[in-house]
Amino acid sequence: MIATDFTDVAEQLEELSPEQILVWASERYPRLSLATGFGAEGGVLIDMAARHGLPIDLFTLDTGLLFPETYALWQRLEERYAVTIRAVRPAQTVDEQATSHGDRLWAREPDRCCALRKVAPLAEALRGSDAWITAIRRDQTPTRATARHVEWDATNGLVKVNPLLRWSADAVWAYVKAHDVPYNALYDASYGSIGCVPCTTPVGPGEDSRAGRWRTREKNECGLHIRLQTVELRSAPR
Ligand code: SF4
């Protein structure tokens, strides 16, 4: 039976650095994937994986609605680290989705749009993996605040590893500067968190870095890191 309670291991990983957690995960899980949304955090993890020569499958969810600056960064990262970051795309193009679900679904039903363009493709991308690595930090959203370094992802049916949980934004940027990690040019144009074009705006002085995402809505997650089912499975049989 698959182990789904990682409470004890997660406790031990609280003592390790992000690099040590990455190495631990790559030794433990042969089929390990890293999903990057091309944030500064993702760049940090790709840099760390490259420094240790870790054989990690890299992919991104290409919604077809990313900024030109994001596509440019994708190419720069591949060149800098001599890696391929594979594109995981939705079943439908943006135009096909408009035909099936109506134009500008993101403006009417962003949760449904994210489900079609991010959540479903992620599940497909992770099929066959033992574990996946994310770049989330605890101080980003209330949902992420209780995340553990290793946990069971009940939604996708595999282990989820979160090496950067304890880092602050300042720590991430210190690493980016110290190691000259390529980053999205939009960060220098007042964007704090960068997703799809229709759902991302710059942030003003004093605003939270994710305030520019789905700005006019309560929504602050695309659905990739919802943990309710994870928590419920804590007591699942081993
Ligand atoms: Fe759709 Fe916006 Fe979600 Fe992108 S972020 S998948 S455009 S709702």
Side-chain angles (χ1 to χ4, degrees), residues 63 65 97 105-107 109-118 195-200 213-214 219 222:
T63 61
L65 291 160
Q97 177 172 293
L105 184 60
W106 50 84
E109 294 182 75
D111 284 344
R112 190 153 164 232
C113 185
C114 278
L116 292 167
R117 310 204 72 74
K118 292 187 174 184
C196 295
V197 173
C199 303
T200 307
R213 303 287 295 276
W214 305 284
K219 181 177 172 68
C222 48

Side-chain angles (χ1 to χ4, degrees), residues 23 41-42 58-59 88 106-107 114 120 129 132 139 161 232:
V23 171
E41 291 84 358
L58 306 175
F59 73 86
V88 173
W106 50 84
C114 278
S129 294
W132 69 297
D139 64 5
V161 181
E232 286 164 6

Side-chain angles (χ1 to χ4, degrees), residues 42-65:
V44 166
L45 291 177
I46 291 170
D47 184 274
M48 289 177 175
R51 284 174 190 281
H52 290 271
L54 304 180
I56 299 174
D57 163 50
L58 306 175
F59 73 86
T60 191
L61 300 175
D62 181 4
T63 61
L65 291 160

Side-chain angles (χ1 to χ4, degrees), residues 11 13 27 65-66 73 81 92 94 121 125-126 139 172 194 208 221-222:
E11 211 53 51
L13 294 185
E27 289 173 347
L65 291 160
L66 305 181
L73 174 62
Y81 297 106
Q92 293 186 311
V94 175
L126 293 176
D139 64 5
V172 169
I194 302 155
D208 182 85
E221 289 276 6
C222 48

